[in-house]
Amino acid sequence: MDSNRLLAPPAPIHTTSHSHDASTIEPENATPSSSATEHSPLSLQVPSSPTSKSSGGDTLRSRADSFNSTAETSRSRANSFNSKAETARSRGNSDLTTLRSRFEGDELTTEEALRPDKSTEKDFEVDNSPFAFSPGQLNKTLNPKSLAAYRALGGIYGLERGLKTDLLAGLSVDETTIPEKIGFDEATATARSKPIDARPIIAQEAIVTGREIEGQFHDRKRIFNDNRLPAKNRISIWRLFWNAYNDTVLLVLTAAAIISLVLGIYEAVGQPHNPDEGQPVDWVEGLAIMVAIVIVVLVTGLNDYRREKQFSTLNARKDDRQVKAVRSGKSVMISVFDVMVGDILHLESGDSIPADGILVGGHGIRCDESSATGESDAMKKTGGSEVWQRMVEGTATSKLDPFIISGSKVLEGVGTYLVTSVGINSSFGKIMMGLQTENEETPLQAKLGRMAKWIGVLGTSAAGLLFFILLFRFLAGLPNNTDTPAKRGSVFTDILIVAITIIVVAVPEGLPVAVTLALSFATKQMYKENNLVRHLRACETMGNATTICSDKTGTLTQNRMTVVAGLLGTHTNFARDIDMSDEEKTILTFAAAFDRLSPDVRRLLLQSVAINSTAFEGEEDGRATYIGSKTETALLTMVKDFLGMGPVAEERAGVEIVQLFPFDSDRKCMGVVIRLANGSYRLLVKGAAEIMLDLATDELPDITARSLEPFELTESARLRAFANIDDFAIQSLRTIAMLFKDFQQWPPVGVQTLEDDKSMARFEDVCQEMTFLGIVGIQDPLRDGVAHAVKRCQDAGIVVRMVTGDNLTTASAIAKQCGIKTEKGLVMEGPKFRQLSDEEMDEVLPNLEVLARSSPDDKRILVKRLKHLGETVAVTGDGTNDGPALKLADVGFSMGIAGTEVAKEASAIILMDDNFSSIVKAVMWGRSVNDAVSKFLQFQITVNITAVVLAFVSAVSSPDMHSVLSAVQLLWVNLIMDTFAALALATDPPTEQILDRKPTPKRAPLITTNMWKMIIGQAIYQLLVTFVLYFAGYNLLGYDTRCPTGPDYVKCTDNLHTELNTMVFNTFVWMQIFNEFNNRRLDNKLNIFEGIQRNYFFIGINCIMVGGQVMIVFVGSTAFQIKRIDGPQWAVCILCALPCLLWAVVLRCIPDVYAKMVFDFVSKVWLAGARPVMKVLRVVFRPVGKAFSAFSRAVFTPMKRFSKRTVAKISRKKGAEDETVGKGKNPAADVEAADASEMRMMTSTSSITPPPQQTSAEFPLQPPPITLTTAT
């Protein structure tokens, strides 16, 4: 498209003089409702009442002639956009009947410019709408950006009229339904002639309350939706049950159970049997296995459903944030979800734009739209009113860009914009709706995935070896076997069932469950403690952090700033409430110092604070306050209290702002250029005191004189000012200096201007030879408990470093108060730090504790070098430029109150209270997650070893080839081991003692020496007890003398063996219950009950396990193949299991160093003998594994393909039904979820595959997929 051609309105415009036409209103007759004031792009704040206010004794000009006008000349709205007087034309005398440009899009008619695409036709269909435009018509301005569509909608004024809003006052908080409709033609005509019934502007005095209004914005929500994306449909609980069951191992076990059930029924019904032996009940085992499988699936599915629900709640919290809006004439903070079409939103540097819209007005707005459009350059924005005016004048080009795109970032500038599309209708919403969210795998889950595969291979190998040993014994005994075929088939089925059940027990599917439960529980609790976790990996990583680089303001301090001291000129000192006594200078009170100021100096000081500021008046918690940077709000409070400043909006309305220089963290200052009444220009700058003082060459020698004539700043005066800065810094005060300079024209002659706007000067060229006005010292008290929190971090082996923009003296003083600065610690300034070489940095960093006067790039360099040294780095940040450091750090903390949206999106955790103590809580919960996984891993491996070895040995040694632990019993053990234990051990809250140890190194193994000591030690004890009971218990308990010889001897001995097996099973389960208490500690301390009273999950789960075990022994005899035991037998079981608590004490008393020496020796011997054996087994079992895999694919692949097709058909049918209901739904989500789950089914064959690596850190939090897997 030709960028040099002009753009004209779509239809002939004939304007005539009319008493109500905005272009004919004379300046002296202008009112607050005059559009010249309403729509000026230079207004930074909604106006207040039209009455003029006095500032420093002088009366400000009325609003009507204060924008872009001088005392001699007033211009109407048509030429009030910084256009030159000789070229500007008023709308009243313009006749554009034929003027048209000739480039693509300009020749389009209104119908052509707003013609719907085939895919968006539904967006243009709106029933009973009171608004002039449909969501589809509003969307035509974007994707791609279209000035033709903007023109067709009547520009900013047509949108204002058609959306029933006000460009200054915003939406009314009392709006519910809108009874009066407005047509398209009526709205777009507003851009050409002011309607007679011009609406008044809502007065500044209107009260905006936080009360809930029933049906608020009913019609807007009905037509345009709210600013929420439809939540991705959670997988239904039935789908979760299916996913839990759809595992090869469980399917094979089900098939074997069905065969066992059929054979048992056939044996009981279809075969003759001896009446003396009673009715055969072999079918009960098959039925019991099926019931046990159902219970496992139900518990797993319910557990997954609970996780899904928790993560959905966390996602909603993560996406919510506060934005600044104008409603009923007041600036208020609202939830991003409550943004409506027609809202007027504030824009500031660092904001993430929540909805599409049109820029109303502002200064120097530049946006990063790379995430939305792929455009890497910063896009300069032009106010919508200026774009329309240039269309009217015929000077518009395609370079004009009033479009604000959701999802983009504000790089610089301030302003307001009109919201035109929200939620699923916005650009960002459409992008997000088209994305397939993926699950986030944490590093811990990846490690556990590899370990689960290793454990599963070993367990499956043991099960396979057991199966073939028993199979060979079964085949060898067939020639002498006189049982019926059904009986022999049942024996073979029992062998298969035992082998498969051992695989179920051996495969540690509870490991990922434990990680997910620990993460979900921790993130929920962290949210309650003001840590909003955006990325799961940060939760576990924070537990191993070795250094924290913290900001000062708001994190270590309260961010409640108050001006407590200052210097006016270089001679007048004032202070309150702090010790500033000095014999050589007189310290005045605030009132006495400000009373000395002449009217001109008072006005200059007021402008330096009120005009050179981005803070504004608003409401928080129902009370009037200033909203914005706490430094600026402290200054505004000072001039309000001692200079009699009125509403900020009125002070700014009386001044014409020519150019803004937003705060820059590199140059540590901000500035504004205003036009004075005499036609000259004044640059006002404020920033870091010592930097500002270096820029000053002049001063006001007498603040009581009416003249603002500057005089040279002498060396002695400069030294006095620097001495005051040092005095303030010693008192831990932040120092801000104010400068000014007058110019005869703007931009000044000889200075460089911006490439894309020649009317704007470069800051570095004009901020020279400034006049010094004064310094203020701002106090920001330390947060309560921050010194204790820093001490706790240091005790935990975490080095705390302070990174601040304050000067060296202030930073050192505050660091000492916090306990960060030590005697041997180094304090450096950012400019010196960044000049060091890498080697010099690496030498300095171990002792560096404070980095003062630092920039965001210094913070990034610091993080980079610390990570290079192997540190796990956490860093805090609140500004847009902190984004790179937050991304680079292992864990980035952004400020929930003071942080920009860019910083929040770059961070992994949001500190909702901006408090350093909350970081300590994050460390505690991070360590708690790692500990929970280690506890469960220690518990599960112990059970794995004991159960597999016990089942293997007892089955091989048994004459009838039956394991002492039946299949149903093993499934109960598996339920205890995987689900119940995961719930119990993953929910232990952290204690203060968790900070008494050093961080775990990045390359530390998952299983430590102490864990191996407990695992092997407990496994030895449990196997020893169960083997003694199983092999020698018959004699030890006197069972060999209880059965008299005779015809009932065999039946009696069988019953006694069943009792003995019941005692072995009962003892085994009780040892796991007691060992669960042992695993609550990972160190060598003995108090395993510490904090147990606070973990209701642990208490409840153990009650369920104990109750379940008691019920099984008393009433589950047939299903579990056990027999009810009496009191003495119960006592034997408990007394055999209970000593595992005492045995754990013995193990903890063994030094880890000695245990490690033993393990190293045993591992070397084991590896020397195991390697050749493993090679032989690999050669032997590789064909068997391939055969089993082929058999599994042949049997189960058709079943899975059929189920996939069935689920897909049902989902598509449901999606079609949902689509007929209306838009706003997401019918494809279930189909995609079905396909995704079925793909997991197809890939969950005979090998354990860890969860796939995910790469999208931008996607919402989702729980990792938890499915039962098998191994070969």
Side-chain angles (χ1 to χ4, degrees):
M1 182 180 291
D2 188 351
S3 61
N4 297 320
R5 295 183 180 177
L6 303 181
L7 196 71
I13 301 177
H14 297 277
T15 58
T16 58
S17 286
H18 195 285
S19 60
H20 296 284
D21 194 335
S23 62
T24 63
I25 296 178
E26 295 297 326
E28 55 270 24
N29 297 327
T31 68
S33 61
S34 66
S35 52
T37 303
E38 291 168 21
H39 311 304
S40 172
L42 300 176
S43 175
L44 293 180
Q45 175 68 14
V46 291
S48 57
S49 61
T51 58
S52 61
K53 295 286 183 180
S54 176
S55 175
D58 289 359
T59 302
L60 299 177
R61 294 167 290 161
S62 66
R63 285 170 49 205
D65 61 349
S66 64
F67 285 92
N68 302 319
S69 60
T70 66
E72 299 81 18
T73 305
S74 295
R75 293 179 287 170
S76 62
R77 191 174 84 183
N79 58 0
S80 64
F81 299 93
N82 290 329
S83 58
K84 295 183 179 180
E86 59 271 18
T87 61
R89 294 174 290 169
S90 70
R91 291 171 55 198
N93 59 5
S94 62
D95 187 358
L96 304 176
T97 56
T98 59
L99 180 59
R100 282 183 181 273
S101 302
R102 300 187 181 278
F103 57 83
E104 184 180 357
D106 183 54
E107 69 281 359
L108 298 177
T109 64
T110 298
E111 291 74 14
E112 292 172 336
L114 300 179
R115 179 177 296 162
D117 301 324
K118 290 184 178 180
S119 60
T120 60
E121 290 178 348
K122 289 185 178 180
D123 295 339
F124 289 76
E125 300 171 2
V126 179
D127 296 330
N128 193 27
S129 173
F131 304 102
F133 312 119
S134 66
Q137 290 173 326
L138 295 173
N139 287 340
K140 291 296 289 185
T141 58
L142 297 171
N143 195 27
K145 300 175 184 177
S146 173
L147 287 174
Y150 175 70
R151 178 188 61 187
L153 295 174
I156 191 74
Y157 309 125
L159 290 169
E160 175 190 29
R161 183 72 171 171
L163 295 178
K164 300 273 189 172
T165 186
D166 188 297
L167 296 183
L168 277 181
L171 298 178
S172 171
V173 295
D174 297 319
E175 178 188 314
T176 53
T177 58
I178 302 176
E180 298 181 2
K181 297 183 179 181
I182 184 172
F184 182 90
D185 294 336
E186 182 183 357
T188 54
T190 305
R192 300 165 179 82
S193 62
K194 185 72 176 177
I196 296 177
D197 56 338
R199 80 279 180 278
I201 290 179
I202 302 174
Q204 176 78 359
E205 288 76 13
I207 298 177
V208 179
T209 65
R211 70 184 189 278
E212 292 290 335
I213 299 176
E214 185 177 356
Q216 188 179 39
F217 304 123
H218 174 269
D219 281 340
R220 291 187 189 275
K221 293 179 181 178
R222 179 174 62 86
I223 301 301
F224 301 112
N225 295 322
D226 56 14
N227 198 31
R228 300 173 190 265
L229 295 179
K232 183 182 177 182
N233 292 341
R234 289 207 305 265
I235 302 176
S236 67
I237 192 169
W238 305 109
R239 182 74 54 75
L240 291 173
F241 288 151
W242 172 251
N243 290 346
Y245 175 69
N246 193 42
D247 177 76
T248 303
V249 175
L250 287 183
L251 290 174
V252 172
L253 189 58
T254 303
I258 293 174
I259 295 173
S260 176
L261 177 63
V262 171
L263 290 175
I265 294 175
Y266 174 73
E267 185 180 352
V269 178
Q271 294 290 320
H273 53 83
N274 191 344
D276 297 334
E277 296 178 358
Q279 187 76 15
V281 290
D282 290 346
W283 59 271
V284 174
E285 182 181 17
L287 180 62
I289 292 173
M290 296 176 66
V291 172
I293 291 173
V294 170
I295 293 174
V296 170
V297 169
L298 288 177
V299 172
T300 305
L302 290 172
N303 200 12
D304 290 347
Y305 181 77
R306 176 177 171 271
R307 291 186 300 104
E308 291 273 355
K309 189 175 181 180
Q310 283 188 348
F311 277 94
S312 297
T313 303
L314 289 172
N315 279 334
R317 292 170 179 168
K318 176 179 71 70
D319 295 335
D320 193 12
R321 56 188 171 93
Q322 297 289 303
V323 295
K324 301 171 186 176
V326 180
R327 286 189 175 173
S328 294
K330 286 279 190 176
S331 294
V332 293
M333 303 296 291
I334 64 173
S335 169
V336 69
F337 297 141
D338 295 333
V339 173
M340 296 288 140
V341 169
D343 260 323
I344 303 297
L345 299 185
H346 285 274
L347 293 175
E348 292 183 12
S349 176
D351 283 351
S352 178
I353 296 172
D356 293 339
I358 303 295
L359 183 66
V360 175
H363 287 272
I365 297 285
R366 293 177 181 272
C367 295
D368 175 12
E369 298 177 351
S370 57
S371 61
T373 65
E375 178 60 54
S376 59
D377 295 334
M379 306 300 293
K380 180 187 176 184
K381 301 298 177 180
T382 308
S385 51
E386 180 176 352
V387 172
W388 181 256
Q389 183 63 28
R390 292 184 61 175
M391 286 181 175
V392 173
E393 296 174 354
T395 59
T397 68
S398 59
K399 290 184 177 180
L400 297 177
D401 184 1
F403 306 110
I404 304 297
I405 301 178
S406 57
S408 58
K409 313 294 188 300
V410 181
L411 298 179
E412 58 183 60
V414 293
T416 57
Y417 81 102
L418 169 65
V419 175
T420 58
S421 296
V422 296
I424 59 175
N425 294 319
S426 65
S427 302
F428 188 68
K430 292 180 182 296
I431 293 174
M432 294 305 295
M433 289 293 291
L435 292 177
Q436 175 65 45
T437 58
E438 299 180 4
N439 300 317
E440 177 187 8
E441 184 185 40
T442 69
L444 189 57
Q445 287 170 337
K447 287 183 180 179
L448 288 175
R450 293 190 291 268
M451 175 164 286
K453 181 178 180 180
W454 176 73
I455 296 174
V457 168
L458 291 178
T460 305
S461 301
L465 181 61
L466 173 64
F467 175 77
F468 285 106
I469 291 175
L470 298 182
L471 178 62
F472 293 152
R473 287 181 57 186
F474 172 73
L475 295 176
L478 278 180
N480 300 321
N481 194 330
T482 60
D483 292 332
T484 63
K487 188 72 173 179
R488 283 178 285 181
S490 178
V491 173
F492 173 78
T493 306
D494 291 342
I495 294 173
L496 179 63
I497 288 174
V498 171
I500 295 173
T501 309
I502 288 179
I503 295 177
V504 173
V505 175
V507 173
E509 66 271 13
L511 285 180
V513 174
V515 181
T516 309
L517 285 174
L519 287 172
S520 63
F521 180 74
T523 50
K524 183 179 179 180
Q525 298 301 316
M526 288 173 68
Y527 179 79
K528 294 179 181 179
E529 296 184 352
N530 299 309
N531 284 275
L532 177 56
V533 179
R534 300 185 68 252
H535 302 302
L536 284 179
R537 65 174 56 239
C539 188
E540 63 188 49
T541 305
M542 193 59 206
N544 299 324
T546 58
T547 183
I548 299 175
C549 301
S550 175
D551 286 340
K552 174 188 75 70
T553 303
T555 307
L556 300 171
T557 61
Q558 297 179 16
N559 204 20
R560 295 178 181 175
M561 299 193 181
T562 307
V563 178
V564 295
L567 173 69
L568 296 174
T570 57
H571 298 84
T572 305
N573 293 90
F574 60 94
R576 68 177 175 192
D577 300 334
I578 63 170
D579 183 15
M580 293 292 296
S581 58
D582 193 326
E583 296 180 357
E584 298 182 0
K585 57 187 178 184
T586 302
I587 309 297
L588 302 178
T589 64
F590 274 71
F594 286 111
D595 285 344
R596 290 189 175 190
L597 301 180
S598 67
D600 288 342
V601 176
R602 289 172 64 91
R603 184 196 307 166
L604 174 61
L605 182 60
L606 189 150
Q607 290 175 343
S608 296
V609 173
I611 309 303
N612 187 19
S613 173
T614 57
F616 56 89
E617 291 168 317
E619 289 191 359
E620 287 184 354
D621 301 327
R623 60 183 180 83
T625 185
Y626 295 114
I627 299 175
S629 165
K630 298 301 181 181
T631 302
E632 296 188 24
T633 59
L635 293 171
L636 289 173
T637 302
M638 179 189 72
V639 296
K640 177 184 178 182
D641 293 343
F642 298 103
L643 291 182
M645 181 186 71
V648 176
E650 294 182 0
E651 302 295 344
R652 292 172 180 170
V655 176
E656 179 187 344
I657 297 174
V658 179
Q659 185 173 352
L660 278 178
F661 300 102
F663 178 80
D664 186 279
S665 54
D666 290 326
R667 58 184 180 229
K668 304 292 183 186
C669 64
M670 62 186 298
V672 64
V673 179
I674 61 175
R675 185 177 182 181
L676 304 179
N678 59 9
S680 62
Y681 299 85
R682 176 169 292 163
L683 170 63
L684 304 170
V685 180
K686 72 170 183 283
E690 64 273 18
I691 296 178
M692 295 295 96
L693 199 55
D694 288 337
L695 297 174
T697 57
D698 299 312
E699 67 165 324
L700 294 177
D702 187 3
I703 60 174
T704 63
R706 294 187 58 86
S707 173
L708 297 180
E709 184 69 24
F711 286 82
E712 181 182 358
L713 181 64
T714 63
E715 188 62 26
S716 60
R718 187 183 298 275
L719 292 176
R720 280 198 303 273
F722 274 118
N724 276 273
I725 294 174
D726 291 338
D727 290 341
F728 295 158
I730 292 173
Q731 298 289 336
S732 302
L733 303 183
R734 168 174 286 187
T735 54
I736 303 295
M738 291 168 282
L739 312 176
F740 77 98
K741 185 177 182 180
D742 290 339
F743 297 89
Q744 291 303 312
Q745 69 178 60
W746 194 264
V749 177
V751 303
Q752 294 187 26
T753 57
L754 302 182
E755 293 183 3
D756 52 357
D757 192 343
K758 298 302 181 182
S759 65
M760 302 294 175
R762 289 181 70 251
F763 180 81
E764 291 74 11
D765 291 342
V766 295
C767 191
Q768 300 176 2
E769 300 179 354
M770 303 290 290
T771 301
F772 176 73
L773 177 59
I775 300 172
V776 293
I778 301 177
Q779 185 181 60
D780 187 10
L782 286 182
R783 286 186 178 273
D784 296 335
V786 71
H788 174 71
V790 171
K791 181 67 167 56
R792 294 299 290 135
C793 285
Q794 293 169 342
D795 292 342
I798 303 173
V799 178
V800 181
R801 294 177 170 89
M802 188 173 77
V803 183
T804 179
D806 287 338
N807 63 40
L808 202 68
T809 307
T810 302
S812 297
I814 294 178
K816 287 181 180 178
Q817 294 180 31
C818 297
I820 295 175
K821 176 70 172 63
T822 61
E823 294 182 0
K824 297 182 180 180
L826 295 179
V827 180
M828 291 190 68
E829 288 187 326
K832 294 182 180 179
F833 175 75
R834 72 178 74 113
Q835 297 299 324
L836 300 177
S837 65
D838 290 347
E839 293 75 15
E840 290 172 333
M841 282 187 187
D842 294 345
E843 184 178 348
V844 165
L845 282 178
N847 297 318
L848 180 65
E849 293 175 342
V850 179
L851 190 61
R853 198 54 80 195
S854 63
S855 68
D857 195 53
D858 296 330
K859 186 184 293 186
R860 181 190 62 81
I861 296 172
L862 175 64
V863 172
K864 181 180 178 181
R865 295 312 303 173
L866 286 172
K867 290 187 67 177
H868 175 74
L869 294 177
E871 303 278 357
T872 301
V873 185
V875 66
T876 67
D878 56 6
T880 302
N881 293 338
D882 288 327
L886 291 170
K887 280 284 189 184
L888 183 62
D890 293 290
V891 182
F893 287 88
S894 63
M895 304 296 107
I897 299 174
T900 64
E901 293 308 318
V902 173
K904 292 176 183 177
E905 290 190 10
S907 66
I909 300 177
I910 298 175
L911 291 178
M912 295 186 294
D913 61 349
D914 294 7
N915 194 341
F916 183 85
S917 296
S918 297
I919 300 179
V920 181
K921 294 292 186 182
V923 174
M924 293 175 63
W925 278 107
R927 293 190 175 188
S928 177
V929 168
N930 293 323
D931 286 358
V933 174
S934 297
K935 292 173 186 177
F936 179 75
L937 189 61
Q938 179 174 303
F939 174 79
Q940 186 169 52
I941 293 179
T942 303
V943 183
N944 270 3
I945 294 174
T946 310
V948 172
V949 173
L950 179 60
F952 185 96
V953 173
S954 61
V956 171
S957 62
S958 172
D960 55 2
M961 296 181 291
H962 283 170
S963 167
V964 67
L965 299 177
S966 68
V968 182
Q969 293 172 8
L970 285 172
L971 288 175
W972 167 243
V973 171
N974 185 69
L975 189 64
I976 292 175
M977 180 178 66
D978 286 336
T979 303
F980 290 153
L983 281 170
L985 295 174
T987 53
D988 254 340
T991 62
E992 288 291 331
Q993 287 69 32
I994 205 169
L995 296 176
D996 291 340
R997 66 173 190 258
K998 303 302 180 184
T1000 303
K1002 288 183 178 180
R1003 300 187 180 275
L1006 278 175
I1007 305 178
T1008 63
T1009 300
N1010 185 61
M1011 290 172 63
W1012 276 122
K1013 179 178 67 176
M1014 297 300 295
I1015 290 170
I1016 296 176
Q1018 284 292 336
I1020 291 173
Y1021 174 80
Q1022 293 181 18
L1023 287 173
L1024 182 63
V1025 171
T1026 51
F1027 282 158
V1028 168
L1029 277 176
Y1030 180 70
F1031 289 106
Y1034 196 81
N1035 295 325
L1036 291 176
L1037 298 176
Y1039 286 175
D1040 54 342
T1041 62
R1042 291 176 58 179
C1043 288
T1045 58
D1048 295 331
Y1049 178 78
V1050 175
K1051 184 176 181 180
C1052 178
T1053 55
D1054 287 343
N1055 289 334
L1056 290 178
H1057 277 292
T1058 303
E1059 283 186 11
L1060 184 62
N1061 290 347
T1062 302
M1063 294 178 64
V1064 173
F1065 165 63
N1066 196 31
T1067 303
F1068 176 79
V1069 172
W1070 277 99
M1071 283 192 292
Q1072 310 316 318
I1073 293 173
F1074 291 136
N1075 191 40
E1076 190 180 9
F1077 286 84
N1078 287 328
N1079 288 310
R1080 294 190 69 247
R1081 290 207 79 103
L1082 293 172
D1083 52 22
N1084 287 322
K1085 295 181 180 179
L1086 303 181
N1087 185 6
I1088 60 175
F1089 300 102
E1090 182 180 6
I1092 194 172
Q1093 72 280 1
R1094 296 187 293 124
N1095 190 349
Y1096 299 111
F1097 267 107
F1098 187 90
I1099 297 173
I1101 291 299
N1102 276 275
C1103 289
I1104 292 174
M1105 289 192 297
V1106 170
Q1109 180 63 19
V1110 171
M1111 288 181 61
I1112 287 172
V1113 173
F1114 276 95
V1115 300
S1117 56
T1118 304
F1120 284 81
Q1121 300 178 15
I1122 58 178
K1123 187 177 180 181
R1124 180 183 296 190
I1125 56 179
D1126 55 22
Q1129 292 169 327
W1130 267 100
V1132 170
C1133 295
I1134 300 298
L1135 291 176
C1136 288
L1138 191 60
C1140 73
L1141 297 175
L1142 301 177
W1143 178 241
V1145 174
V1146 175
L1147 293 174
R1148 287 191 167 97
C1149 292
I1150 301 174
D1152 291 347
V1153 177
Y1154 297 153
K1156 187 176 185 303
M1157 294 171 59
V1158 174
F1159 293 152
D1160 289 342
F1161 174 76
V1162 173
S1163 62
K1164 291 179 181 179
V1165 174
W1166 166 260
L1167 289 176
R1171 281 171 180 163
V1173 175
M1174 291 301 295
K1175 290 181 180 179
V1176 173
L1177 291 177
R1178 190 178 296 115
V1179 173
V1180 173
F1181 286 103
R1182 183 174 294 168
V1184 178
K1186 291 182 178 179
F1188 182 76
S1189 297
F1191 173 76
S1192 299
R1193 285 193 296 269
V1195 173
F1196 295 106
T1197 299
M1199 295 173 55
K1200 293 179 179 179
R1201 189 180 298 117
F1202 173 76
S1203 64
K1204 176 184 176 183
R1205 291 174 179 173
T1206 303
V1207 172
K1209 288 179 180 178
I1210 295 174
S1211 300
R1212 282 195 294 269
K1213 183 178 179 181
K1214 182 178 181 295
E1217 292 174 355
D1218 291 343
E1219 190 171 341
T1220 60
V1221 175
K1223 63 180 182 179
K1225 306 288 185 183
N1226 190 11
D1230 279 343
V1231 179
E1232 294 170 356
D1235 291 341
S1237 65
E1238 295 301 332
M1239 286 302 296
R1240 288 197 296 271
M1241 299 174 198
M1242 296 295 291
T1243 56
S1244 177
T1245 56
S1246 59
S1247 62
I1248 291 184
T1249 305
Q1253 285 285 351
Q1254 307 296 345
T1255 59
S1256 177
E1258 298 295 327
F1259 294 132
L1261 298 174
Q1262 294 289 342
I1266 305 300
T1267 56
L1268 296 175
T1269 53
T1270 182
T1272 56

